[in-house]
Amino acid sequence: MGGSGPSRTSKPNRNRSYYRKTRTKRRVVDIDQIQQAIRDGKSLQATDADVKLELPGMGEYFCKVCHRYFVGMDVYERHLKSKPHKKRVKSIAQDIYTQKDAEWAAGISTENKRQV
């Protein structure tokens, strides 16, 4: 009855963590891209009429902060009150983290690239 090791169902799924890190099914636009678009005045919303027909709600209800389309106005309004949307708004309100900030935090001056 007993085998020489754990059964097949009790083995940990070794690929699960890799899959979770690399999955792109529900990937959204990064915060820095949204901040850049807002700063430049560009819209990340689809503009082509053919593309809009395939989007939820014909592409009419779009959240610029979360980069998501919604089926109707009631769903869109519910999203605006949700916790994930409010977190995203808060994170976008922060300053953009640049390479210059990273160098300053590491102690590298910008004039001569030497450690301070």
Side-chain angles (χ1 to χ4, degrees):
M1 295 270 188
S4 62
S7 68
R8 187 169 202 181
T9 56
S10 67
K11 285 184 181 179
N13 189 349
R14 293 185 183 115
N15 291 332
R16 181 177 292 163
S17 63
Y18 175 75
Y19 168 74
R20 286 182 179 167
K21 289 177 191 174
T22 59
R23 66 179 168 200
T24 58
K25 182 177 181 180
R26 298 190 191 279
R27 179 134 171 84
V28 293
V29 178
D30 292 326
I31 292 172
D32 59 337
Q33 292 172 328
I34 294 173
Q35 287 174 334
Q36 180 115 18
I38 290 171
R39 187 179 63 212
D40 296 343
K42 295 180 183 176
S43 176
L44 298 173
Q45 190 173 4
T47 56
D48 191 18
D50 294 335
V51 175
K52 283 190 171 188
L53 293 175
E54 298 175 3
L55 295 171
M58 301 280 193
E60 188 174 342
Y61 307 105
F62 178 73
C63 178
K64 293 179 184 177
V65 176
C66 300
H67 195 264
R68 290 182 62 189
Y69 292 91
F70 297 95
V71 176
M73 189 63 170
D74 56 335
V75 181
Y76 176 68
E77 289 174 353
R78 198 173 340 133
H79 164 74
L80 293 178
K81 296 176 185 176
S82 69
K83 192 172 184 178
H85 174 79
K86 290 177 183 177
K87 282 185 177 182
R88 190 90 169 182
V89 169
K90 190 175 181 180
S91 65
I92 287 178
Q94 295 176 351
D95 292 335
I96 298 173
Y97 190 72
T98 62
Q99 182 63 32
K100 187 176 181 179
D101 295 334
E103 290 173 356
W104 177 82
I108 302 172
S109 66
T110 55
E111 301 90 36
N112 53 13
K113 301 283 184 189
R114 286 196 274 173
Q115 296 251 339
V116 178

